[in-house]
Structures are given as C-alpha cells and as structure tokens.
Amino acid sequence: MATLSPTTGGASANDNIRRFTAPSRPRSPPAEHTLFHPKTRAFIYGLQPRACQGMLDFDFICRRTTPSVAGIIYPFGGQFVSKMYWGTSETLLPVYHSVEKAMEKHPDVDTIVNFASSRSVYGSTMELMNHSQVRTIAIIAEGVPERRAREILHYAQKKGITIIGPATVGGIKPGSFKIGNTGGMMDNIVASKLYRKGSVGYVSKSGGMSNELNNILAQVSNGVYEGVAIGGDRYPGTTFIDHLLRYQADPECKILVLLGEVGGVEEYRVIEAVKNGQITKPIVAWAIGTCASMFTTEVQFGHAGSFANSQLETAKAKNRAMRDAGFFVPDTFEEFPDVLGRVYQNLVAKGVIVPQPEPEPPKIPIDYSWAQELGLIRKPAAFISTISDDRGQELLYAGMPISDVFKEDIGIGGVMSLLWFRRRLPEYASKFLEMVLMLTADHGPAVSGAMNTIITTRAGKDLISALVSGLLTIGERFGGALDGAAAEFTNAFDKGLSPRDFVDTMRKQNKLIPGIGHKVKSRNNPDLRVELVKEFVKKRFPSHKLLDYALAVESVTTSKKDNLILNVDGCVAVCFVDLLRNCGAFTPEEAEDYLRMGVLNGLFVLGRSIGLIAHYLDQKRLRTGLYRHPWDDITYLLPNLSSSGAPGNEGRVEVSM
Amino acid sequence: MAAKSILEADGKAILSYHLTRSKPIAPSPLPPPPHNSPPKLASLHFPAGCNPSAILDAAETTYPFLLTPRARFVAKPDQLIKRRGKLGLLTLNKPWAEARKWVEERACKETDVEGVTGILRNFLVEPFVPHKGEEEYYINIHSVREGDWILFTHEGGVDVGDVDAKAERLLVGIDLSEYPSNETIAATLLKNVPSGVHNVLVDFITRLYGVYVDCQFTYLEINPLVVIPNEDKTSAEVHFLDLAAKLDQTAEFECGAKWAIARSAQSLGLASTSSDKINIDAGPPMEFPAPFGRELSPEEAYIASLDAKTGASLKLTVLNANGRIWTLVAGGGASVVYADAIASAGFASELANYGEYSGAPTETQTYHYARTVLDLMLRGPIHPNGKVLFIGGGIANFTNVASTFKGVIRALREFAQVLIEHKVQIWVRRAGPNYQEGLKNIKAVGQELQLNMKVYGPEMHVSGIVPIALLSKNPGNIKEYGA
C-alpha cells in the first residue's frame, strides 16, 4: 500500500481517534451531598495537557464510558482541539476561547478545574460563577490574595457553588472523578487502589499529604471513598466541615478522616457539628504542626495559612479538643494508620463495612516521555546537532559555556571557530576570520547586492526582506570569486602546475582566473586591503604556501597587464586555504571538506550582511521613496507580432551573449 | 507568601498617603479633607558594621525636620517588636539631641526582648504630638473568613489592657455594598465617645477601612490613635502614634504600586535623592522585614535567594545550629510532619532546622540545598552521641525521585568522610515517581561510602522513620526497602 504509515501499521492516524458523545444524563439529578459521580463532566480552565491526560487516564482505569473532561477553556488559545489519549487510542478535546461558548456547547458540565494563575484566577472564577450550570470549581493557583479569595467564597456561598481551593491539588473520588493532578502518576493511583471506591472519606488541608492518606488508606482499610484537599491558604473556599457534612450524608461513606493543620479555627466547626449531632460517623483526625508551639520564634511553615494567631489555633489545642469531642486522635501522626486501621476493623467486624473483591484495573500504557526518562525505551532521533546545546544551565557553543566565551573574550572569530568548525582555533586564526569579515563588510552602494538591498528598502520592505534580497545576488558572479579562486588555485597548486603553466592552461581553456584582476588597482597602485591581509598572513601564519603560489601567479599575469593583480577576493581565498591546511587544527580531509561545503561563501555572506544592513538603515534614515528606473536608461526592444514567424520565434531580436 | 508584618514607618506612610486618596467606600458625614502633608518619619537603619554616629549625622540632612528649633521627638526601635512602651524601648518628648543620644546608645546593640535576642538596627524618630489623655483611642482591624472585624475603644494608650474584653466591635462583610451606615458605626463602635467627635471619627474609621481594603492589609492596629478635633468639630487632626500592620504579600501584583508610591521620596517630603536605581513603581518596593532576632543567616539567605530564582520551593530555617537532629525533607506538608514527629519524640530542643524542598527542583538545586544543610550540620562540634539526618519526604506527585536524589547523593559523596567522623545516622524515606530507582541508588551509595544509612519506601509511614531512629519504635515492624 502506498500510504502505509510507519507508526500505525496500515491504518491512518485518524482511525485511532475515539470520539465521544456526551453521556446520557443521570436519571435523577445528583443528591445534594454528591459533588462527583461517574458521569461528572468538567472543563479544564487553562492549558494543562498533563493534568488533562491524568484525568482521562484515571477515567479509563475507572472504566468510565466517557471522559470526565468535556473540553478546555483557554482564552489565549490558538488551537481548537487538543489531542489526548484514551487508553491506547486517541481522542480530541475541544478548546474554547470563551467561557460563554463552552457552557453553551456543553450544558452537561457542572465542574470546572481552574488552573488560572494567582493573578487571573479571581476574574475567571467570578465569570464562571455567573453560569447557572456550574456547581463546583476547583482553584489550583497558589498565592491568591486573601481578599480576593474571600470575595470568591462569599460570592460562591450566595450562588450555592462549591469552591475547592485555592492552593490545592484538588480531590479525588475513586471510580468517578479526579481533579487535575490529584493522586500523582498512574502507578501511584494504581498502588493506592484509587480506581475503585472504598469506604473512607477524607478532607486534608495539604495536597501533598493527601497522597500519603491515599497510601495509608489503601494499606489499612478498603480505601478512599472520596478525598478533598481544601488547600493551604488562610481562606479556603470550602473547609473541613463542608465536605465532612457531605460524607456524613452519603450512606456509602462509613469513616471520616480529617487531616488539619496549625492555623485557623475550622477544625472547631467540625467539633461543634459532632457535639450537636450533625456528624455521627466515626472521625479519625489529626492536626499537623504540633511542633510549632515548641519553637521560640515564629516559623512560617510551607502553607500561608499555617500560622497560629492564638492559642486556639495551635495544632496541640486542636488535637486535644478533637480528642475531647470523641474523635479518634492518635498520640502522634505516626500512630495514625494504626488508629485508623482499628476503627476500620471494628466496622468490618460489626458488618457496617463489607469488603468487596478486588477488581483488576485496566492497564494504562506508560507515557513515552516518562518511559524515556526512566531509560526503558529508545528510539533513533530525527535530528542530530553537534554544535550547540541550550538544554542545560548554560548555553554551550561546541561544549564551551557562554560565560567562558565572554570570560576568555574569544571574540566573533572565536565564536565562529566554535560553531563553524566545532573547535578552538589559534588566536591568529580567529583574528584572520574577523579580518575577513571586516574587509568584506561592504563595497559601496553600486555593487549588485547593495543595489538590490537599496531598491528593496526603497520599496518599503522590512529589514529582513531588504537584507535577503541583497544576499540572494551572491553566487558565482557576485561575491563568489572567493570560492572559485580557492578552488582554482588549490587545484593547480596540488597538481603541481607551475604558476606559468597554470596561467597558460587557463588561457587555453578561455577561462578567467578568479581572484585575479581589479578595475582600477594595479601593481603600482596596490589595493591596500590586499596589502593588509598579506602582511598579517606572512607575519602570523605558520605557513602560507598557497599565498606564495598566488603571488607568483600574479607576477605572471601582471607581466601581461598591469591591473591583473591578486585582488582581495583571491588573496582572502588562498590565505583561508593556507589557514585550513596549516593551522594544525584540521586534517587534510577536513580541510578539503570544508572548502567543498562552501565555507568561503559563508564568510562572504556573513561579512557582507553587515554592509547590506547598513545600506538598509541608510536608506531608511534618508527617508528615500520608491525607486523607479528611468525609461531613458532602458532600451526597449519589443517583438513585432504582426510579422510572421514560427510560434515562439516571432521577430525576436537575437542578442548574442 | 502570606500575611507579612511591615515596619511601622511604612504602615504610617501608607496611611498618611492613602487616607485621603483611596476611593471612599461610603458617604462621609464630612466634606472631603485636603491631602495630608508629607508625614515626618525619620526611619533610621543601622547596617552591620556601621558607625551609628555617622548615620545619625546623615539623618539630619535627609530629615531636616529633626533640626527644627525647640521641636520635641519620640524615638523607638522599628523592628516588629510588640509592647515597646512597656519594655522601655521608647523615649517620649525629647529634644533631638537627647533622642539622638538615646538612639545612638541602642543602635547595633544586642538586646533581649522577652526572651528573644537580636540586634537593634532600625529606629523610627517622629515629632512628639502633645495631646490629652482622653484623646487617646484604640483601633484594630483584622480579617477573618466572614469579613473584617473593627475593634474600637475610647480608652487607648499604653495601658489599653484586654481589648478583646472591652473593645466595641463591628464585623464588616466582604461585600462592600453592605458597608454599615454612619449611624451604625457610631452606635456600635462609638458608644462611649462624646457625640461631638462622632462625625470626625466615623469619617476617619471609614477612610481607614477604605485604605485597609484598598491596600490589602490583613491586620492593622493603632494604639494610641489620637484624634484632636478642631473647634467646630468638622474635621480633626488624626495622629497614629503607634502602629502595627501586616500586608498580604500575595497582593503585591495588585497593590505594589500603591505601597510604593506611599514610600516614595516625594510622598515622604524628602529631597529626592539622585539615586540611579530605577524602581518598577513610583517608589521603592515594599519591604517585609524578618521578625526581631530572626535576621537571616548567610545560609538561610542563600537558600532564600535560590528559592526566589526558581519555580520550585526551597526553604530553610535554622532553629538551633548546634542541634543534633537535622532534616532534609521534600514537601511542605511532610516537612511539618517530620518536625512534629521529632518534637513529639521529645527532641524539640535538639532539632536543628526546619526546611523543605518541593515543586520539582532540578538536580543541581537539590544538590545546593542538600550541601547547605550538610555543611551546617557538620560545621558544629562532634557530638558524643552522634547526629541524626532525616532524608524524608512524602509521596511525590510528579517529581522524579531518582533525579532529585541524584543531587542529594552528590552532596553525600562530598561530605562522606565528615559524615562518618560525626557519627551521623542517616534515615531515608521517600516515595513517588521512580522512587524504586532513587531508593536503590541512595542505598548503593550508602553502602559504597560506608555511611550509617537506613532506607525505606512507601510501606513506611511518611514520618515513621522518626520514632524508629529516635525511640527505636517500629510497631509495624516494617522492613527496609529492598530488604
């Protein structure tokens, strides 16, 4: 088959994409205490491919029939769909630029995971709350100003919306729904059996510690029924009591777990609810930060809210009060699993909890990038680069850190030798390269490259267009003398032709010798640029045989005509060959290779770019207008159609070249 | 990133500038007042190794009001110290020469304030405001979940006593459109204040609350607040003699410009210095000083600077440099749990540091962090009972445990010899992505370098290694990783 694709083995990529219709509505609206169920549909606000994929993977191993993510809202978006995996196949998630549009397209969505930054999360959350279908918003951002957080929670209360966060990882309901990055990577989710529901509902302040809770619960009980991390800020949108009351109302949740923290008074509201009989299920609880009272000065722990403003807010006082109210509170957090395990076993013994057989979770393929990081897989790279590396702490030029480039002051010549030849060249070589750039930088406005740049500039084009139009003239005739000269001189020299034989051979072939001849300069009126190069090379190069050869050729040609001197192109070209061959940094093969690759043209392009940019700036500065060539400077010779002739040959004026 | 205390001078500067400029949140009983003239706040900083006398000389040029003939001054340290009046850290009604002498005697001196030792480096000198005792009020605004409490009592001053018991209070809801009426404010807060100054005080309280909201304070206490009404009681001179405040540092992106302009040379009535430093706002950015006696050590400052340069979180507080027990814990929650476990095992006084690294730091960042902790631990004298290092952490979400451990391992290699000399026991517990590889590597290095090291994985409770290490308690009888 002609269109056989290498990755999918026959099928086109499109065949591997799963498309979902919105799930059927739950037959009855979810109960008041149910935030998440196996048909919960959500938007992700913000571009978070990893979190999104994590949610879809979770859905998949929970055997949900449709993904929990209905779409992505991204106001700065450029794309319209985002490709995600559904198990081993792929699926497309729509990306919306406006909340309005997203809500209109997906009336079944009632949950939003808001990944907006601390700066923009206030505005976006307020906007989201104005849509009546929204029941729950999780706010992930850390560092939301406290006033803004209170405004959000105040408005949410008015609207009857549940806010989870800010500064949280979110929450998880095994078998139903996972908020964003909760639970970590897939192997951890599988290890903590989060793909099927257990009987314990927890609320934790810290998101990081919720991973520990998942792990503990999987070890000492039949696992998590639902878990929420309310976030470490001073004013979380919902607190312990809000979620514990939901768990109390939910008949499937048998044990409540509260993991509180020093700071704030929210634990006391749970104590109140237990005292007045609102909560009757067993609560296993702990407030972390008991050490705070033992320090002599104030220490701000990781969370913004974890600071006791009064005795009441210390972890010690909270643990004591919870124990007094009949919660199961261990003596230390290390004993927490034991206490929890005993409470669980007790309920199993009473028949309140009946452990279920373990289902086998579906397998999720490991992600390519992660497998690569673990060193499990390999694949040939499509590109290789051997000159620079921007991935590390510092940019590297051929292995040399950019800071060393400046510390050792290696100059443009040094940078060119690193990037063009992947090696440090001797100092005189770098200097020579710089010298060439300086000599070739410009040659007046009349040469074809500069002319093109000037005309393009005057046509109102931008710098890059003007520069490129000039550069595009460089080739065999303009600027290309360098390459040609290097080739011809080297060739003759290597063949062992004497200078006179070389000149004669060229004449016989009716060929001009590139690099020989100048419009005005002559032996008696030497080109100073050539003199500079010659002087430098003779003084600094360890060997300059080709230059000597070229000078011998020059003495032959100038004996015929005074202006047939070695011009600057020729001089630079032969000296460059001398450099490659004799500086000791290149093998003879390498030297030939670089010449064949056209490195000399590169030198000219680089140097002349300086001049072309200068011409562009000059014309801009002068505010010159569009250039139109005068008619009288063009000879118009048109064919006469009325006169007969073969098609394509009607009275054409033949001009012999 | 949280509510942070600010210097008294900065708090006063913000109030002085914004009281008349913040958008009014409710109609006032009084006509709008003219803008305050720049406050006279001589904020004097004495850096380490300075010559106090030279700084005071310079202050006389910077703050010309200090040399006003016959002027009287108040001087006090401005370093987040509470109850300065009671502690004798305040001098009142002194001519400049005496106030200057008072400051000079105390500047750069180590001082004990209620059990905390620190060096007095920052002072505030202001004109003394003569007033009557009955003009001293107390006001406090602080934020709670439901709104902001305003506490007010007419008996302010140094001896204000138990304000919780005696102050009148009013809860202002989050929704500013429900801000209480002038009558409500007068009726609740100003019950015991002569009605003649009600208008003046209502106007002031509303403006003050406006600034509180606008500049995102989380705490503001003025005591005494001196209100001297003019004769027809249509306006009043208001002086905040003593002030303590906290701002919400996370609101910097919304309020930074407002904080800065109040602190600009122009707003403070100072000759603008020809300093060539360009600020991003109209004035210098707000500073959040460390609490008294808690100036950052060079190592803490170094970690703070690393922290500021990355998206990851790197925190270090040295509690007791000679402590035996050191922690190198990943994760904000886990690090607190470790400190708890050490304290509840009875080793609070031996705990040397609190710190955490999280948010996927690079291998190099982890190395520098670990290196700093190890260096501090091994700098202290050798302890006959040896030392204990906990390389702990919870179950990471996305951090590749193996790669962060590479940084830790590099640091361990560097200090291997000294670790053995100091008889350091190393206890490791970690889990999360690729923990298997990470634990395997660190265990191999422990064996190779002959360190006294025990390694545990997710089977161990997050801080379960603490009781095992300190109390030899391993109730679950959990085995080492790979054992």
Side-chain angles (χ1 to χ4, degrees):
Chain A
M1 203 203 266
T3 55
L4 192 77
S5 120
T7 48
T8 53
S12 85
N14 194 33
D15 297 343
N16 201 27
I17 289 179
R18 284 278 304 273
R19 289 175 168 81
F20 296 92
T21 48
S24 59
R25 301 252 176 151
R27 247 167 257 141
S28 53
E32 188 68 19
H33 62 257
T34 309
L35 282 188
F36 310 119
H37 49 81
K39 286 186 175 174
T40 293
R41 295 272 280 170
F43 289 131
I44 305 277
Y45 192 103
L47 216 52
Q48 291 282 333
R50 187 167 66 176
C52 214
Q53 187 59 60
M55 288 172 72
L56 261 53
D57 286 347
F58 174 81
D59 298 341
F60 188 79
I61 60 163
C62 289
R63 301 184 188 281
R64 272 185 63 136
T65 48
T66 45
S68 58
V69 185
I72 293 165
I73 304 176
Y74 186 58
F76 313 101
Q79 65 199 85
F80 292 96
V81 289
S82 179
K83 211 159 78 168
M84 293 284 151
Y85 290 108
W86 178 254
T88 48
S89 60
E90 296 186 273
T91 186
L92 300 173
L93 289 180
V95 179
Y96 299 98
H97 295 192
S98 83
V99 173
E100 201 76 40
K101 191 67 166 274
M103 296 284 176
E104 189 188 301
K105 286 265 185 179
H106 301 274
D108 57 327
V109 166
D110 64 0
T111 301
I112 291 105
V113 182
N114 192 344
F115 277 98
S117 73
S118 61
R119 285 165 178 257
S120 62
V121 75
Y122 173 73
S124 57
T125 306
M126 288 309 229
E127 184 188 1
L128 289 167
M129 285 197 286
N130 284 330
H131 293 268
S132 57
Q133 70 196 73
V134 175
R135 289 181 70 219
T136 310
I137 303 175
I139 298 174
I140 309 301
E142 270 185 60
V144 178
E146 292 182 355
R147 169 117 207 134
R148 299 291 168 236
R150 288 189 297 161
E151 281 169 358
I152 288 172
L153 79 89
H154 180 79
Y155 195 59
Q157 265 162 10
K158 258 191 191 165
K159 291 267 179 178
I161 291 170
T162 303
I163 302 281
I164 296 175
T168 181
V169 67
I172 192 161
K173 186 164 186 184
S176 297
F177 186 68
K178 165 174 122 88
I179 298 174
N181 293 319
T182 310
M185 304 216 355
M186 266 345 254
D187 48 357
N188 192 47
I189 286 178
V190 172
S192 298
K193 303 199 178 79
L194 295 172
Y195 46 84
R196 55 96 182 128
K197 64 185 168 194
S199 303
V200 185
Y202 72 79
V203 196
S204 151
K205 187 115 184 153
S206 153
M209 291 307 291
S210 70
N211 270 356
E212 291 297 333
L213 282 178
N214 295 335
N215 180 34
I216 293 172
L217 289 174
Q219 287 179 17
V220 303
S221 76
N222 67 346
V224 180
Y225 176 71
E226 184 175 342
V228 172
I230 59 172
D233 276 0
R234 187 108 193 131
Y235 304 113
T238 45
T239 76
F240 307 117
I241 185 70
D242 301 299
H243 299 286
L244 291 177
L245 285 177
R246 288 197 300 109
Y247 301 159
Q248 168 70 27
D250 194 324
E252 289 189 85
C253 183
K254 311 290 187 188
I255 302 177
L256 315 185
V257 166
L258 187 170
L259 188 59
E261 195 176 84
V262 52
V265 292
E266 298 306 321
E267 288 85 349
Y268 291 98
R269 297 176 56 189
V270 181
I271 294 175
E272 238 166 78
V274 169
K275 283 185 176 160
N276 66 25
Q278 272 183 290
I279 294 179
T280 54
K281 293 179 181 174
I283 308 184
V284 185
W286 179 253
I288 68 174
T290 50
C291 60
S293 12
M294 302 187 203
F295 298 150
T296 45
T297 51
E298 56 179 74
V299 175
Q300 173 74 52
F301 294 129
H303 292 150
S306 59
F307 180 73
N309 290 305
S310 70
Q311 195 53 35
L312 207 64
E313 296 188 17
T314 63
K316 282 218 157 140
K318 289 180 184 180
N319 283 328
R320 193 178 319 117
M322 292 193 291
R323 195 175 296 126
D324 290 349
F327 296 25
F328 296 90
V329 180
D331 291 332
T332 65
F333 186 48
E334 291 68 52
E335 291 158 45
F336 191 87
D338 279 353
V339 173
L340 185 62
R342 281 202 299 276
V343 173
Y344 172 76
Q345 290 305 337
N346 187 23
L347 290 188
V348 172
K350 280 189 195 159
V352 179
I353 296 173
V354 182
Q356 300 295 314
E358 284 295 336
E360 183 68 26
K363 291 262 180 297
I364 287 278
I366 185 165
D367 256 3
Y368 179 79
S369 56
W370 180 240
Q372 199 175 36
E373 204 177 327
L374 297 187
L376 294 177
I377 49 166
R378 60 189 185 188
K379 100 174 179 33
F383 291 93
I384 309 177
S385 167
T386 64
I387 51 171
S388 60
D389 189 345
D390 61 333
R391 295 167 306 168
Q393 295 280 12
E394 242 193 296
L395 176 63
L396 300 178
Y397 286 167
M400 187 175 191
I402 190 76
S403 57
D404 288 352
V405 167
F406 283 86
K407 215 182 294 162
E408 297 184 23
D409 200 14
I410 66 173
I412 284 286
V415 170
M416 285 168 68
S417 56
L418 286 177
L419 290 177
W420 287 19
F421 307 117
R422 305 196 299 138
R423 66 200 75 190
R424 290 291 297 275
L425 295 181
E427 191 262 352
Y428 67 83
S430 304
K431 272 266 148 2
F432 176 72
L433 291 177
E434 286 174 14
M435 203 169 177
V436 174
L437 294 185
M438 286 148 83
L439 288 171
T440 54
D442 196 42
H443 204 220
V447 297
S448 56
M451 210 70 244
N452 251 17
T453 292
I454 289 170
I455 290 168
T456 311
T457 308
R458 293 184 60 175
K461 301 288 281 191
D462 58 302
L463 185 143
I464 294 169
S465 306
L467 170 64
V468 165
S469 84
L471 289 179
L472 287 176
T473 61
I474 297 174
E476 224 167 276
R477 296 187 187 174
F478 172 62
L482 265 80
D483 240 12
E488 295 292 358
F489 279 101
T490 314
N491 195 16
F493 177 78
D494 290 352
K495 273 193 197 150
L497 291 178
S498 72
R500 190 179 301 283
D501 288 347
F502 171 48
V503 176
D504 289 346
T505 325
M506 292 299 275
R507 225 230 329 256
K508 273 184 208 139
Q509 293 172 358
N510 270 333
K511 269 161 79 177
L512 295 172
I513 304 176
I516 292 285
H518 196 276
K519 216 168 167 188
V520 286
K521 297 289 177 187
S522 66
R523 205 154 215 204
N524 303 320
N525 173 22
D527 184 340
L528 286 177
R529 298 180 295 169
V530 177
E531 297 305 309
L532 284 171
V533 174
K534 279 196 316 208
E535 193 191 336
F536 179 84
V537 168
K538 283 186 171 166
K539 201 161 121 202
R540 305 286 306 270
F541 279 25
S543 160
H544 37 79
K545 285 199 193 114
L546 198 64
L547 174 62
D548 295 343
Y549 182 79
L551 289 175
V553 172
E554 181 189 43
S555 53
V556 178
T557 51
T558 44
S559 65
K560 298 174 192 283
K561 204 169 173 214
D562 196 34
N563 69 346
L564 288 181
I565 53 165
L566 180 65
N567 62 26
V568 71
D569 292 349
C571 183
V572 163
V574 294
C575 293
F576 190 74
V577 176
D578 275 332
L579 179 76
L580 285 182
R581 290 186 164 184
N582 304 315
C583 73
F586 302 93
T587 64
E589 293 75 30
E590 280 178 329
E592 297 319 305
D593 224 23
Y594 277 119
L595 289 172
R596 256 200 313 276
M597 284 189 253
V599 68
L600 270 165
N601 262 348
L603 216 49
F604 183 77
V605 167
L606 184 58
R608 187 52 56 91
S609 293
I610 298 173
L612 295 179
I613 292 171
H615 284 293
Y616 167 83
L617 295 175
D618 190 40
Q619 295 303 311
K620 282 284 170 197
R621 198 164 40 225
L622 295 167
R623 310 278 189 280
T624 49
L626 179 68
Y627 178 74
R628 199 172 197 289
H629 204 68
W631 286 330
D632 62 7
D633 194 38
I634 300 173
T635 306
Y636 292 85
L637 288 170
L638 273 72
N640 188 350
L641 285 178
S642 57
S643 74
S644 61
N649 206 10
E650 312 91 347
R652 175 173 291 173
V653 180
E654 295 296 336
V655 180
S656 58
M657 300 280 284
Chain B
M1 295 278 273
K4 286 269 175 75
S5 299
I6 55 169
L7 293 181
E8 180 176 354
D10 291 334
K12 286 180 169 173
I14 292 180
L15 289 193
S16 161
Y17 185 84
H18 289 290
L19 262 182
T20 54
R21 289 180 174 87
S22 280
K23 209 173 115 236
I25 44 175
S28 166
L30 297 180
H35 290 318
N36 292 322
S37 50
K40 290 178 173 150
L41 301 164
S43 186
L44 310 174
H45 180 65
F46 299 89
C50 72
N51 171 7
S53 173
I55 299 229
L56 287 158
D57 287 345
E60 290 174 2
T61 328
T62 320
Y63 307 103
F65 69 84
L66 294 174
L67 298 178
T68 315
R70 287 183 303 284
R72 315 287 283 185
F73 295 95
V74 181
K76 54 193 166 183
D78 187 4
Q79 241 164 303
L80 316 185
I81 301 170
K82 290 169 192 156
R83 291 177 291 280
R84 286 167 298 190
K86 297 242 181 216
L87 295 167
L89 289 172
L90 175 69
T91 185
L92 286 172
N93 199 5
K94 294 286 185 313
W96 168 239
E98 277 179 53
R100 180 185 159 128
K101 192 158 153 274
W102 189 88
V103 172
E104 204 168 337
E105 279 164 8
R106 285 161 182 79
C108 296
K109 298 270 162 60
E110 198 168 83
T111 310
D112 187 291
V113 176
E114 297 186 315
V116 179
T117 326
I119 296 172
L120 294 177
R121 296 212 178 278
N122 223 48
F123 286 82
L124 177 62
V125 181
E126 298 173 277
F128 175 73
V129 179
H131 61 275
K132 302 183 206 117
E134 71 260 25
E135 287 162 347
E136 288 196 342
Y137 301 97
Y138 167 96
I139 189 165
N140 173 316
I141 311 179
H142 63 270
S143 300
V144 293
R145 191 175 170 81
E146 297 74 25
D148 303 308
W149 282 105
I150 304 181
L151 272 62
F152 187 90
T153 156
H154 63 293
E155 294 167 339
V158 182
D159 300 309
V160 64
D162 184 1
V163 284
D164 275 341
K166 76 177 194 190
E168 310 297 339
R169 58 186 66 214
L170 178 64
L171 180 68
V172 180
I174 295 295
D175 191 344
L176 291 179
S177 64
E178 293 161 14
Y179 186 75
S181 68
N182 293 337
E183 293 71 31
T184 316
I185 295 171
T188 30
L189 294 178
L190 308 179
K191 262 184 254 176
N192 300 317
V193 179
S195 59
V197 289
H198 275 193
N199 276 355
V200 169
L201 275 170
V202 166
D203 175 71
F204 174 75
I205 289 170
T206 302
R207 284 186 187 285
L208 187 69
Y209 184 70
V211 179
Y212 184 91
V213 172
D214 199 32
C215 291
Q216 305 216 22
F217 284 75
T218 63
Y219 183 88
L220 176 62
E221 182 184 68
I222 304 174
N223 180 40
L225 167 72
V226 168
V227 180
I228 308 169
N230 66 358
E231 285 194 5
D232 51 356
K233 311 230 154 113
T234 52
S235 72
E237 259 180 69
V238 180
H239 301 276
F240 356 101
L241 295 197
D242 201 324
L243 172 151
K246 289 183 183 181
L247 298 176
D248 183 356
Q249 196 184 3
T250 57
E252 206 272 343
F253 71 92
E254 290 185 351
C255 300
K258 291 173 192 160
W259 298 340
I261 193 165
R263 300 176 78 229
S264 68
Q266 202 186 2
S267 308
L268 294 173
L270 307 178
S272 55
T273 48
S274 57
S275 95
D276 42 9
K277 193 162 180 301
I278 306 249
N279 290 306
I280 55 168
D281 289 313
M286 181 53 72
E287 284 161 34
F288 298 94
F292 177 72
R294 274 283 337 139
E295 287 84 13
L296 295 185
S297 68
E299 290 79 18
E300 291 169 324
Y302 170 66
I303 297 298
S305 76
L306 284 186
D307 183 55
K309 280 183 226 147
T310 118
S313 163
L314 301 164
K315 302 273 182 309
L316 176 65
T317 306
V318 177
L319 303 166
N320 168 15
N322 292 320
R324 277 180 57 217
I325 300 169
W326 292 78
T327 59
L328 191 59
V329 181
S335 60
V336 182
V337 167
Y338 269 78
D340 284 358
I342 293 162
S344 67
F347 289 80
S349 58
E350 306 258 31
L351 178 58
N353 70 322
Y354 167 77
E356 61 111 359
Y357 64 100
S358 59
T362 64
E363 182 195 327
T364 324
Q365 289 163 345
T366 318
Y367 163 70
H368 286 298
Y369 183 78
R371 209 188 165 281
T372 309
V373 172
L374 292 183
D375 182 33
L376 283 169
M377 172 170 76
L378 301 173
R379 208 184 279 172
I382 292 181
H383 196 282
N385 298 341
K387 294 181 179 176
V388 183
L389 172 66
F390 290 108
I391 302 179
I395 301 170
N397 249 356
F398 295 110
T399 308
N400 184 342
V401 173
S403 75
T404 47
F405 263 19
K406 268 189 204 157
V408 176
I409 288 170
R410 231 170 104 195
L412 286 176
R413 280 189 186 283
E414 200 175 315
F415 286 91
Q417 206 46 51
V418 207
L419 283 164
I420 295 168
E421 273 168 32
H422 280 252
K423 288 189 279 179
V424 180
Q425 294 176 46
I426 303 172
W427 293 80
V428 182
R429 190 277 185 182
R430 188 86 164 106
N434 205 17
Y435 74 92
Q436 297 92 336
E437 184 80 12
L439 296 184
K440 209 177 77 197
N441 293 346
I442 203 164
K443 202 171 168 175
V445 167
Q447 281 163 358
E448 179 199 328
L449 303 175
Q450 298 180 318
L451 301 174
N452 182 0
M453 183 191 281
K454 298 272 193 299
V455 181
Y456 295 88
E459 302 76 24
M460 173 61 77
H461 178 73
V462 52
S463 49
I465 53 175
V466 175
I468 307 184
L470 302 179
L471 306 170
S472 315
K473 272 211 271 191
N474 186 358
N477 209 10
I478 290 152
K479 295 267 177 306
E480 263 197 83
Y481 177 74

